Structure formats: C-alpha cells, structure tokens
Amino acid sequence: MKKILVLGGTRFFGRKLVELLLEQKHEVTIVTRGMSENPFGDAVEHIKVDRKDTEAFGKALENRIFDIVYDNICYSPNEAKQLCDLFNGKIGKLVFTSTLAVYEADGKPHSEEDFDPTSYGIIMGDTHEFTYGEGKRLAEAVFYKYAEFPVVAVRFPIVMGEDDYTRRLHFHIERIINKEPIGFLNMDAEMSFIQATEAARFLQWAGNEDVEGPINAIANGVISLKDLISLIEEKTGERAKIALLGTEEIRSPYAIPATWYMKNDKAEQLGFSFSQLEDWLSPLIEQIAGTTAKQ
C-alpha cells in the first residue's frame, strides 16, 4: 500500500485514476476546491482547499509525506514552484499531467525531444498570464529545475470520453445533429487522441513504474478532421455544415491550422501498450450521439 495524493480527482480521468488507485488498496488523499462532489466518500481523505491560496494550501498539506503525488491541475510556473517548495524532501515521485500543447501545431508528429523543458527559459507568473500551452511548458521547466524528487511529465493529447466536462467531441456531435455550422481552419489536419480510461491507466502506470522525464501518451493511430466529421455523419445520419473560419461561437475546439499529434514510441518501449484509436472512437461517437438524440 502506498500513500498517494491526487490534486484534482473528482472529474473525468482524474476520477478514473482515483478509482484505479482504490482498487489497488492504496491510501488516497484528494485535494479539490470542493466545487465538485466527492464521489468516493470515506474511501479517500478529501482536503478542500484552493491551491491558488498559497498559505492555505501549504497549511493543509504541511508535514505530509506521500509516495506519489499526481498533479492534474497545475497550469502555471507559480503553481509548479509552490509544489516544489512544499514537497521537496517529502514525496517519492510526482506525476504531472502535461499536454500535447507544449508542441507547436506545425504539421509534424512530435517526439519528447521536440520540447526540452530543462533548457527552456523560465518566466514566473500565474495561469492568466500565459496561454494554456505556455503555462504547461513553464510548469514543466520549473519542475525539472526546482524539484528534488523524480518528475514524470505526462503529455496527453485531447482526452475523449462520454463524461468529458469540456464536451469538445460533444460539441461536434450536437451541432451536426442540430444542423448547426462548425468552423474549421484545415479539414485535412490530422490529430491524435486518448480515451479517458486509458489516460487514467497511463497515469497509474507512470506512478508505479521506474520512469522519469517527459513522456507522450496517445492511442495508436491518427484521424483527419475530415474523416472525424464523416464518422460523426455516419453515426448520426446527418450532414455536417462546415464553415471555414467562422465566428468564435461556431469554431471547432479542434480548429487547428496543421497536423498536430505525437509519437508514443518512448512509452511503448518502456512497456505500456496503447489502444487503437479506431477501436474505440466510433463506439464513443455512437454512444454520445445516442445520448444527445434522447435529450
């Protein structure tokens, strides 16, 4: 049994991660602001605190020692430095949820070497001062400079699932069913994804295995936005209304200018076996479409 802390563990793949950890009989503590209901009850210790309140966050976790910390809600260099200051000498390992967005959407499949956080210039600041991708780049850079514990930066693409609170895949399905336009930049651009349960399994694996450093985690396979829309059309029986560019209201969350995906060779060589995108994407679309049609 390990003592494990999960920052952000009540929704989506964070919730699925906690479920996996509990199945393994670990002693789990979750930290949230208390905005979402704790679905685990007394099976976990639930600390309600806003990590942006540095003093309160420090007091809530002072003198605590953990074997593994999972940080799913760090978006800035300031938050990363806060974690290092709090936990240096007190934890065995950090698994930090990073992102494909540390790489540019430049038409190239990216490997971990395409962004080296150890040589990236650090600018301190809070979440609102940076784009999502830049905040994650700087957080990685801070962890690899200041952490005195091993750090795994798991770089996920967009995570998909029926219970995705961002509803990015839902956006496309719902607008096609409702005969509403969707704006894109480049329909030929290809993307990679990962399913929420697999994302949780990967985080669990990264905590248990002897791995460190940045690591990409994606399902095998890519799909063009044109083919994704065609798949949704097939499952809904409706024709999509596509607009080039369009307003912010209709613009797709997947409106990228060029192919944007990662290679997962490093993770597979270290022993993790990924799913095939084509095996679960179509059933997921069908599931969401069925739920949408009933509403």
Side-chain angles (χ1 to χ4, degrees):
M1 178 189 293
K2 294 180 179 178
K3 297 184 68 174
I4 299 176
L5 174 67
V6 180
L7 303 178
T10 57
R11 295 195 297 176
F12 203 30
F13 64 84
R15 175 174 176 169
K16 297 177 189 299
L17 169 63
V18 173
E19 290 170 351
L20 291 173
L21 297 174
L22 291 175
E23 286 175 10
Q24 289 190 321
K25 308 300 182 184
H26 294 304
E27 182 180 329
V28 180
T29 300
I30 63 173
V31 170
T32 74
R33 292 178 298 167
M35 306 295 287
S36 299
E37 182 180 351
N38 171 15
F40 310 108
D42 295 337
V44 302
E45 177 188 9
H46 185 193
I47 298 174
K48 296 181 183 180
V49 65
D50 187 347
R51 76 177 299 164
K52 294 184 183 297
D53 185 337
T54 301
E55 183 177 355
F57 186 69
K59 285 183 178 179
L61 292 166
E62 65 182 351
N63 302 321
R64 300 293 297 270
I65 296 174
F66 296 97
D67 297 298
I68 306 171
V69 173
Y70 289 96
D71 193 347
N72 298 324
I73 54 173
C74 175
Y75 302 104
S76 74
N78 281 4
E79 291 169 344
K81 184 63 164 57
Q82 169 201 58
L83 208 68
C84 293
D85 292 342
L86 181 61
F87 285 130
N88 275 341
K90 297 179 181 178
I91 66 173
K93 185 176 194 176
L94 171 69
V95 181
F96 166 54
T97 298
S98 190
T99 173
L100 164 68
V102 301
Y103 308 116
E104 297 297 329
D106 55 8
K108 302 175 184 177
H110 289 286
S111 60
E112 288 81 0
E113 294 76 18
D114 292 339
F115 172 64
D116 177 11
T118 64
S119 62
Y120 199 65
I122 293 175
I123 302 172
M124 301 305 296
D126 290 318
T127 306
H128 68 276
E129 298 178 65
F130 309 104
T131 63
Y132 173 72
E134 182 64 6
K136 289 289 191 177
R137 289 186 200 103
L138 290 166
E140 282 195 27
V142 168
F143 280 131
Y144 288 113
K145 180 176 176 62
Y146 294 106
E148 297 172 7
F149 42 77
V151 178
V152 185
V154 176
R155 295 172 179 169
F156 282 138
I158 289 174
V159 181
M160 287 183 164
E162 187 182 16
D163 55 343
D164 175 15
Y165 61 90
T166 70
R167 301 183 66 81
R168 285 173 286 194
L169 180 58
H170 297 64
F171 172 90
H172 301 83
I173 296 170
E174 290 167 359
R175 292 190 74 84
I176 289 173
I177 287 176
N178 294 326
K179 300 178 175 59
E180 297 171 330
I182 305 172
F184 285 98
L185 298 176
N186 180 358
M187 293 290 290
D188 293 320
E190 295 178 316
M191 296 185 71
S192 56
F193 300 94
I194 193 168
Q195 198 269 346
T197 299
E198 184 165 45
R201 284 199 307 107
F202 190 86
L203 291 172
Q204 178 191 34
W205 174 86
N208 288 333
E209 298 298 314
D210 184 21
V211 296
E212 290 186 47
I215 188 164
N216 297 339
I218 61 168
N220 291 312
V222 298
I223 188 169
S224 71
L225 296 173
K226 181 192 301 180
D227 289 342
L228 176 63
I229 293 301
S230 294
L231 189 57
I232 297 173
E233 289 177 326
E234 176 189 328
K235 295 301 178 183
T236 61
E238 301 287 349
R239 292 284 294 174
K241 294 183 177 180
I242 303 300
L244 292 180
L245 297 178
T247 64
E248 189 68 29
E249 180 185 357
I250 74 167
R251 189 166 301 140
S252 164
Y254 305 159
I256 55 175
T259 288
W260 194 31
Y261 65 92
M262 302 181 286
K263 300 177 182 179
N264 61 16
D265 299 17
K266 177 179 177 180
E268 290 205 318
Q269 289 167 5
L270 289 169
F272 191 88
S273 296
F274 290 97
S275 67
Q276 298 294 323
L277 177 64
E278 62 184 18
D279 289 342
W280 55 261
L281 181 55
S282 181
L284 176 61
I285 291 171
E286 191 168 358
Q287 186 178 27
I288 295 172
T291 301
T292 301
K294 293 176 184 178
Q295 293 175 348

